[in-house]
Amino acid sequence: MRRTRTRALASTIAATALVLSACGSSDDGAGGDEGNDPQATSAGSKLAATWPLTGLPVKGEDSAVQDHPVLVLKMDNTSSSAPQVGLGSADLVVEELVEGGMTRLAAFYYSRVPDDAGPVRSMRASDIGIVSPVDASMVTSGAAPITIKRINGAGIEFFGEGAKGFYRAGGRSAPYNLFARMDETATLTRGGERPADYLTWGDAADLPKGKPATSLAASFGGGHTTSWSFSDGRYTIDNGYAAAGDEFPADSVLVLRVEVGDAGYRDPAGNPVPETKLEGKGEAMLFHDGRVVRGTWSKDGLGAPIELATKQGELKVPAGHTWIELVPREAGNVTFAR
């Protein structure tokens, strides 16, 4: 059951402070009878041994009380967004198709919440399947009425312009000048338990060998292609818009081939708005450490987790920062090279 939520755009929300100070957790979670439990109680809150969006261990120097929702900021991903701010602090990013063949980013924040992030853009119905598995709260410029109705129906909490933390940045033109002070917006969220892991995390040593792949290109159907290069253990976007030094630190790139339908309305320019169907099943490609492993993905419903598999069994994503590409099954394409 999803918790009942209160909309920041409609009413005042009682602030709950987001604590980002160290909480004295143990790195290995061991100790007495709690040694077999992945969580240990500290300061009245449960701390898991790993972060839900990365699978990385929670260390004393960067631990946080895990009693707040995941925050997902909708970020523009066109040249007009440059420079994008806040991607370097994200735990996980999902890239999705929007109208006109362009893409938009869903930047997930949990282990770190940045001071500033943006440009902030609007939600899509596609986001229901993207954020629901971790019961995330969304930071957005708004949405079309039909989308807001569906977001409300899905029980997703969201904060838009006018809520605490939002501001218009000087030197940029609208609508690419809306930003959020995420540390301030985070105080609007209500408390909650640590969410389930977004992906099934594992050890890189257990990943199937796969094929060499030090570059890849994810095409979303002619309007946009995201190109990646692998070097020094990380994947870097060759044609991205992130501010220098604020790029997303991708350890893995996960490509999911997805069905794309019509959301049922058009944008102000008259373009039909697509809707990514992040449920069902399809082809998956996991890029890690300069190689690619092919498999399949499945998701039993919009709120269900993403499950990955190969012919040999479950496919686990190596713990780290992951960028997910939701590439259209029909119109999109994925290529890679040694």
Side-chain angles (χ1 to χ4, degrees), residues 17-308:
L18 176 65
V19 181
L20 289 175
S21 58
C23 298
S25 63
S26 171
D27 286 354
D28 59 11
D33 292 337
E34 294 180 353
N36 295 323
D37 190 337
Q39 295 182 326
T41 300
S42 176
S45 299
K46 283 190 173 183
L47 289 180
T50 59
W51 295 111
L53 303 181
T54 63
L56 294 171
V58 176
K59 299 180 180 179
E61 64 268 21
D62 62 3
S63 64
V65 175
Q66 298 179 357
D67 63 353
H68 61 88
V70 171
L71 292 171
V72 177
L73 181 140
K74 288 309 297 292
M75 186 179 293
D76 191 82
N77 195 42
T78 66
S79 58
S80 298
S81 69
Q84 295 163 328
V85 176
L87 281 179
S89 298
D91 287 329
L92 179 144
V93 174
V94 177
E95 183 172 8
E96 62 188 282
L97 181 69
V98 293
E99 57 275 13
M102 298 293 104
T103 64
R104 196 156 290 177
L105 307 180
F108 285 63
Y109 299 97
Y110 191 73
S111 67
R112 289 197 296 163
V113 178
D115 293 338
D116 298 275
V120 184
R121 298 300 305 276
S122 57
M123 302 178 291
R124 296 293 182 271
S126 304
D127 295 318
I128 296 173
I130 293 172
V131 309
S132 291
V134 288
D135 203 23
S137 300
M138 297 196 68
V139 178
T140 171
S141 64
I146 187 174
T147 299
I148 290 178
K149 182 177 180 179
R150 293 181 63 183
I151 293 290
N152 284 339
I156 296 172
E157 179 180 61
F158 64 91
F159 307 103
E161 186 172 13
K164 185 177 181 180
F166 282 81
Y167 67 95
R168 293 281 176 176
R172 293 179 183 247
S173 59
Y176 309 103
N177 61 347
L178 182 63
F179 283 74
R181 295 185 179 91
M182 293 289 284
D183 55 337
E184 296 182 14
T185 304
T187 65
L188 301 176
T189 61
R190 307 199 318 172
E193 296 180 356
R194 176 195 184 275
D197 289 347
Y198 195 82
L199 297 167
T200 301
W201 305 110
D203 193 316
D206 298 325
L207 195 67
K209 185 177 181 179
K211 295 182 178 181
T214 58
S215 66
L216 69 124
S219 172
F220 286 78
H224 177 78
T225 297
T226 300
S227 300
W228 294 87
S229 296
F230 175 78
S231 179
D232 297 327
R234 288 279 173 85
Y235 290 84
T236 303
I237 297 179
D238 300 324
N239 58 339
Y241 308 110
D246 200 12
E247 298 88 352
F248 181 74
D251 298 297
S252 301
V253 178
L254 175 61
V255 177
L256 306 181
R257 303 301 301 272
V258 296
E259 293 287 350
V260 175
D262 192 326
Y265 66 99
R266 293 178 178 269
D267 72 359
N271 297 305
V273 177
E275 180 179 349
T276 295
K277 310 289 187 178
L278 192 52
E279 59 181 333
K281 58 184 179 181
E283 177 189 359
M285 303 171 71
L286 175 59
F287 294 85
H288 182 81
D289 197 28
R291 51 198 171 115
V292 59
V293 177
R294 292 182 178 272
T296 58
W297 68 271
S298 62
K299 197 166 180 286
D300 291 339
L302 293 177
I306 297 169
E307 297 181 354
L308 303 173

